[in-house]
Amino acid sequence: MQASVIEWLEYTAQKYPGKEALIDEYEKISFAEMRRKSLAISREILALSREAQKPVAVYLEKSAKVLVSFIGVAYSRNFYSPIDVDMPKSRVEKILEVLQPEIVITCRELKDNFDTFGYKGDYILYEDVIPRESDEQVVLPFAQSIIDTDLLYVLFTSGSTGVPKGVGIRHRSVIDYIDWVTEEFRITAEDSFGNQAPFYFDNSILDIYSMMKTGAALYIIPKKLFSQPVLLLEYLKENQINTIFWVPSALITVAKLRALKNVDLSSVLKRVLFCGEVMPNKQLNYWRSNLPHVIYANLYGPTEITDACTFYIADREFDDDEPLPIGKPMKNTEILVLDEKDQLILCDQPGMIGELCVKGTSLAVGYYNNPEKTKAAFVQNPLNDKYDEIIYRTGDLVMYNELGEIMYMGRKDYQIKHMGHRIELGEIETAVSSLEDIERCCCLYDESKSKIVLVVEAQTEVSKTELNQRLKEIIPEYMLPGRVITIPVMPLNANGKIDRKQLKESL
């Protein structure tokens, strides 16, 4: 029985020692090299502390070095926590306050910057770590002592109080998830991933560990290419990348600029997976019409359940204004849809809206160093009073459709009551996104003026009167925006999602 993700690298480094594992702008690292450098980093960690299950922060520019560092931490039976180099100083300080790491992996160029955060612990400088023949002898006893309930990483998400929440994920959860991913999508050593997600964002877990398990190659795509769709697609073609797992915003940009007509990926791309926000069918239909042979899969799930817990493979046609299902639970995961009284809504009860709750191996241990927030979100299953059984309450509202598929309706906190009606802002966004000349939009609610506000990305002013005239054919009148704001570029947060908080603050 597998106890740790390290066992994957031990296998792939032996089976495919010279095969390229990680490729970024600066270097190519084989599986054998990845293992050697990871062991060396682990040796340096163990030289500073032999205690297990301690946090080690990784502060490096996005590159292959980050992933080698992650695995080095894992070999030492500790857990890693990435800190983005572009993160505001105040946020880093709050993360360090929660995490309290005693070791930070960085480089000489960034060390002085990290000193400004008030950190007083030990440093490991990546470029100074040189592999030695004795590394296996020193490190492997620690790696072999890992149990599957040990923490592998802590990723920080935003908190409603302004204090970031650190989501702790165990080895067993990642093993469970990646076993499903590689089986469902038939990932092999012949495949190659094009990574978009930042390594502090949980979408990256699929790329990283699918590579480690199967021997597939992982290309870390330069960030600048995501604002240059034609060059981005040329990068995929040139490197024969056949699998991508991106946030919808990246796919929408390609569709918006009709970039697929400039680059033929028909003999390259095999899988287009997406997660993190709603994917409008209008833009997905553009991809599907240009690359009809590709597998398109909508994955859904928050960081607290190891990246994703439901999926839908697009296997039928959708109109532009139809929402895409989030589908069904992944293997070894159970979804409970609970109404306001915590009663179970069944899949043969279409149209009834409830909160999506998750149980299974995928669940995080909770929020690191934050028992209060953990107890609020990770709760006893209200349907079971016989023994302890924790579920995670996502705060997402869903319903089953007539086919028994789960449909995402929006956030609990995106649900508003307007003119006596309960309205999901996500429903309005789906309707607006289906209109021919609208590429991206975000719907907000101005509580002070009791007004639905629609922010639209467009180069010319969008008339509220004309827009609402067209929307009347899709949604009820009480859902029509009371105010329409046109902006040239939609602000995105660090994870590539629409920055709702920034838009709300600008109202």
Side-chain angles (χ1 to χ4, degrees):
M1 182 179 134
Q2 186 176 348
S4 79
V5 300
I6 294 306
E7 295 174 38
W8 287 331
L9 185 56
E10 288 292 303
Y11 170 78
T12 49
Q14 184 177 12
K15 187 169 183 180
Y16 312 107
K19 186 175 182 295
E20 290 174 357
L22 302 170
I23 303 97
D24 64 16
E25 290 181 87
Y26 316 103
E27 62 182 333
K28 297 176 180 179
I29 299 177
S30 70
F31 282 97
E33 290 167 339
M34 182 180 178
R35 179 178 182 268
R36 278 197 296 273
K37 183 76 173 187
S38 296
L39 286 170
I41 288 171
S42 185
R43 178 199 73 224
E44 293 295 321
I45 294 170
L46 294 170
L48 293 170
S49 172
R50 296 256 165 164
E51 285 187 75
Q53 289 292 275
K54 292 288 186 179
V56 178
V58 178
Y59 186 72
L60 290 163
E61 295 274 0
K62 186 182 180 184
S63 63
K65 294 178 176 64
V66 175
L67 303 187
V68 173
S69 299
F70 286 175
I71 305 309
V73 176
Y75 264 112
S76 71
R77 204 184 171 183
N78 290 295
F79 58 92
Y80 63 83
S81 190
I83 297 178
D84 183 44
V85 296
D86 295 322
M87 205 174 273
K89 184 173 184 284
S90 61
R91 181 173 171 83
V92 175
E93 288 171 347
K94 288 173 182 174
I95 287 175
L96 294 178
E97 191 178 327
V98 174
L99 196 64
Q100 297 175 13
E102 296 172 11
I103 299 172
V104 170
I105 300 172
T106 187
C107 60
R108 197 173 287 110
E109 186 183 345
L110 293 171
K111 179 182 177 296
D112 289 346
N113 194 48
F114 205 84
D115 282 337
T116 66
F117 304 137
Y119 175 70
K120 303 299 181 187
D122 292 312
Y123 285 100
I124 293 173
L125 300 182
Y126 187 94
E127 62 266 49
D128 291 348
V129 179
I130 309 299
R132 299 175 188 163
E133 285 187 16
S134 60
D135 288 345
E136 284 192 16
Q137 185 182 341
V138 173
V139 174
L140 289 185
F142 284 85
Q144 288 159 1
S145 70
I146 297 170
I147 59 175
D148 68 357
T149 53
D150 282 348
L151 281 185
L152 174 61
Y153 62 78
V154 168
L155 297 183
F156 279 84
T157 65
S158 59
S160 56
T161 60
V163 178
K165 296 182 295 188
V167 179
I169 299 291
R170 300 169 292 193
H171 282 261
R172 66 185 291 180
S173 301
V174 173
I175 292 166
D176 189 59
Y177 176 52
I178 297 301
D179 280 350
W180 173 82
V181 168
T182 53
E183 178 186 339
E184 179 67 35
F185 297 107
R186 299 178 184 178
I187 308 296
T188 72
E190 302 302 312
D191 290 312
S192 50
F193 286 85
N195 164 263
Q196 170 267 325
F199 296 142
Y200 56 83
F201 182 33
D202 63 325
N203 273 18
S204 65
I205 298 304
L206 185 148
D207 296 339
I208 299 167
Y209 292 102
S210 294
M211 171 272 296
M212 269 181 51
K213 178 182 178 179
T214 63
L218 176 56
Y219 287 81
I220 301 167
I221 302 174
K223 186 179 178 181
K224 62 189 176 189
L225 292 184
F226 286 94
S227 58
Q228 305 172 74
V230 173
L231 293 180
L232 173 64
L233 299 184
E234 286 176 348
Y235 180 94
L236 297 184
K237 186 172 184 177
E238 179 186 338
N239 293 291
Q240 293 293 292
I241 291 168
N242 65 14
T243 306
I244 57 176
F245 181 43
W246 295 352
V247 290
S249 292
L251 299 174
I252 289 168
T253 300
V254 171
K256 177 182 175 182
L257 297 177
R258 302 292 186 262
L260 288 169
K261 73 176 187 294
N262 297 304
V263 184
D264 181 12
L265 294 178
S266 57
S267 62
V268 179
L269 212 52
K270 288 170 63 176
R271 309 172 189 89
V272 174
L273 317 178
F274 41 92
C275 186
E277 59 187 337
V278 172
M279 180 70 202
N281 263 309
K282 184 172 75 173
Q283 283 80 14
L284 182 58
N285 284 338
Y286 171 78
W287 277 83
R288 293 179 71 184
S289 63
N290 280 273
L291 296 168
H293 66 288
V294 169
I295 293 170
Y296 296 92
N298 185 20
L299 278 66
Y300 155 85
T303 306
E304 288 85 346
I305 48 78
T306 318
D307 191 23
C309 58
T310 75
F311 73 110
Y312 174 72
I313 295 176
D315 59 358
R316 64 179 188 274
E317 298 303 312
F318 290 91
D319 292 335
D320 283 357
D321 61 350
E322 280 187 89
L324 195 67
I326 60 171
K328 62 183 180 180
M330 295 175 178
K331 187 177 179 181
N332 200 34
T333 298
E334 186 172 353
I335 299 301
L336 306 175
V337 181
L338 302 179
D339 67 15
E340 291 179 353
K341 296 180 180 177
D342 279 342
Q343 298 298 306
L344 187 65
I345 296 172
L346 302 173
C347 61
D348 60 359
Q349 296 175 295
M352 292 183 64
I353 296 176
E355 181 181 6
L356 188 147
C357 302
V358 189
K359 67 174 185 172
T361 300
S362 63
L363 263 61
V365 295
Y367 301 115
Y368 190 77
N369 203 11
N370 195 337
E372 188 180 326
K373 290 286 185 187
T374 298
K375 286 175 185 173
F378 295 84
V379 302
Q380 172 65 24
N381 181 0
L383 306 177
N384 178 9
D385 60 3
K386 302 297 187 293
Y387 58 89
D388 286 351
E389 183 181 48
I390 300 299
I391 64 170
Y392 173 68
R393 304 195 78 120
T394 66
D396 287 341
L397 296 171
V398 298
M399 71 173 190
Y400 291 103
N401 65 13
E402 298 290 343
L403 299 173
E405 299 161 338
I406 303 169
M407 305 296 298
Y408 176 80
M409 303 302 291
R411 289 285 303 165
K412 259 186 168 180
D413 45 8
Y414 293 166
Q415 187 186 68
I416 62 168
K417 194 167 185 181
H418 178 66
M419 296 170 61
H421 299 275
R422 286 188 182 275
I423 299 170
E424 294 299 331
L425 296 178
E427 188 176 350
I428 302 173
E429 290 174 353
T430 297
V432 176
S433 296
S434 72
L435 301 178
E436 191 174 334
D437 53 347
I438 304 293
E439 293 300 336
R440 211 172 336 206
C441 69
C442 180
C443 202
L444 307 166
Y445 192 65
D446 186 343
E447 290 86 358
S448 63
K449 297 177 182 176
S450 298
K451 193 171 279 190
I452 296 171
V453 180
L454 178 71
V455 184
V456 177
E457 183 183 279
Q459 299 310 308
T460 55
E461 192 76 13
V462 175
S463 161
K464 185 186 89 170
T465 305
E466 289 179 18
L467 185 75
N468 282 350
Q469 200 64 41
R470 295 159 71 193
L471 284 175
K472 277 181 186 177
E473 299 177 15
I474 311 173
I475 55 176
E477 190 157 344
Y478 62 79
M479 294 175 67
L480 296 176
R483 182 184 174 197
V484 175
I485 302 171
T486 307
I487 58 175
V489 180
M490 195 70 74
L492 304 178
N493 63 23
N495 294 339
K497 300 181 186 181
I498 292 173
D499 195 332
R500 292 174 181 274
K501 184 180 177 185
Q502 183 182 327
L503 289 174
K504 191 76 183 278
E505 288 171 352
S506 67
L507 291 182

